Amino acid sequence: MKILQINKMYYPWVGGIETVIKQLAEGINGTDDFAVDVLACNDKHITVKESINGVHVTKARSLFILFSMPVSVDFILFLKRLWKNHDLLHIHLPFPLATFALWFTRPTNKIVITYHSDIVRQRVISTAIAWFDRWALNRADKIIVSNPVIIETSKVLRNFKKKCIVVPFGVDLDIFKMDSEREKSVELIHKTYGEKIVLFVGRLVYYKGVDYLIKAMEDIDAKLIIIGEGPLKQYLTAYAYRIGLGGKVVFLPYLSQNELVNFYYAASLFVLPSIYRSEAFGISIIEAMACATPVVSTELGTGTSYANQNNITGFVVRHKDSNELNKAIKKLLDNKILSTSMGNACKKRIEALFTLKKMLNEHKLIYKNVLSTK
């Protein structure tokens, strides 16, 4: 059974969706008679074909990037050529080029769509391509979503509820295990940055709301460590100094998975202060929870409040509200018993719902069911 995973970008491009697709491609390829290939776009004007950890990946050259979306004629041509060699297409949305290409090439394969989020900021584009999205969702045999919240809150999915299947994202628990080497690394982090650490991990882009988190740290006796890159990094660095928090806020580049896990364990709490529904889930939330680190997140009507349960695994507060973030952070920093209790609840929730093994098995079951249906 040959599966073609389709997304706008692929590893080593950094992003939550790209992380999930890499997990699916590598985790399913070569198991249960499945063979998985990937079709994506390159962010450069060159086509690249390569094998990444045993997965054949085609990255079609892009003419340019418009509103964070690649524009690529080659992508359409590759889809027209490749769909004939696969039994099932698994398309990840939002990706306007993919829905247009699907309509244009009219493949006869079985189709599964993972609907990650609505298009929020690019409303002009959203209106322009809404018809193609509806056509693709109508054409799909099944629609996978990461959480039940988005089915109820997305205007796009309202007419497709019967097709939707909830499959939460997952983490590889083996990667998040504590051992003696990790204990030493965590101890070194504490020696470097102090015992109280507030952590953020993610791309430094508009919808993450990192400036609200920086503002929330004004009277908090702890270090804020921000791990990530993005177009707003220079602005956020300057902002921290402008409001007098330059010595309290530490910016670090992207780290290896192993190094990142060390910081999750070293953190007193993890904060995801996102401000728009573009934040559909927050992979970093479940990564932190896998390390028994309590979470503060914002209410967006998306999967962030499904992963992080208010008053159980952490706190869910209003978005765009530094005061609410400040209060929640203080509650966890000032109450070790509460913090430990919520951290333990995090670990249990991950083991019950958000494991990579569970995610892979449920996707394979969906593929088999779809392919067996005439």
Side-chain angles (χ1 to χ4, degrees), residues 16-213:
I17 296 176
E18 287 71 29
T19 296
V20 170
I21 296 168
K22 186 171 183 289
Q23 287 177 323
L24 290 173
E26 295 180 5
I28 294 177
N29 187 44
T31 68
D32 296 353
D33 199 32
F34 283 110
V36 182
D37 298 328
V38 173
L39 173 61
C41 293
N42 197 359
D43 61 333
K44 300 178 179 62
H45 192 60
I46 183 174
T47 291
V48 175
K49 295 182 180 181
E50 56 188 332
S51 179
I52 302 176
N53 295 330
V55 176
H56 181 75
V57 180
T58 300
K59 298 177 182 177
R61 64 175 178 172
S62 294
L63 300 175
F64 51 87
I65 305 294
L66 178 66
F67 298 112
S68 301
M69 294 290 177
V71 176
S72 170
V73 175
D74 283 31
F75 173 88
I76 301 173
L77 298 177
F78 274 115
L79 179 61
K80 185 176 182 179
R81 187 184 313 162
L82 290 173
W83 73 256
K84 299 172 185 178
N85 302 322
H86 294 82
D87 302 299
L88 184 146
L89 307 181
H90 186 168
I91 304 167
H92 296 262
L93 301 183
F95 183 15
L97 179 61
T99 53
F100 172 78
L102 192 68
W103 172 83
F104 184 79
T105 59
R106 302 298 174 103
T108 58
N109 316 62
K110 296 289 186 178
I111 293 176
V112 170
I113 289 177
T114 292
Y115 192 89
H116 291 270
S117 71
D118 298 328
I119 294 177
V120 178
R121 199 181 196 191
Q122 299 88 352
R123 291 185 178 179
V124 173
I125 290 182
S126 178
T127 301
I129 56 89
W131 187 89
F132 292 105
D133 277 358
R134 287 195 300 270
W135 185 89
L137 291 167
N138 268 313
R139 171 67 177 78
D141 295 275
K142 290 294 178 184
I143 301 167
I144 300 174
V145 294
S146 63
N147 64 91
V149 180
I150 193 171
I151 299 175
E152 300 301 325
T153 60
S154 169
K155 294 180 180 179
V156 177
L157 292 179
R158 285 177 182 172
N159 297 321
F160 302 99
K161 288 184 179 182
K162 292 182 179 180
K163 284 188 179 183
C164 291
I165 302 175
V166 176
V167 182
F169 298 142
V171 295
D172 184 350
L173 294 180
D174 290 337
I175 294 175
F176 291 83
K177 287 181 177 177
M178 174 60 78
D179 54 30
S180 58
E181 283 300 310
R182 196 175 300 287
E183 286 178 351
K184 293 176 183 177
S185 298
V186 170
E187 185 179 344
L188 181 59
I189 291 173
H190 284 150
K191 285 182 179 178
T192 305
Y193 300 107
E195 289 296 320
K196 293 184 176 183
I197 294 174
V198 178
L199 180 65
F200 167 86
V201 176
R203 294 188 66 224
L204 303 180
V205 291
Y206 76 97
Y207 67 84
K208 294 290 184 178
V210 179
D211 48 344
Y212 289 92
L213 173 56

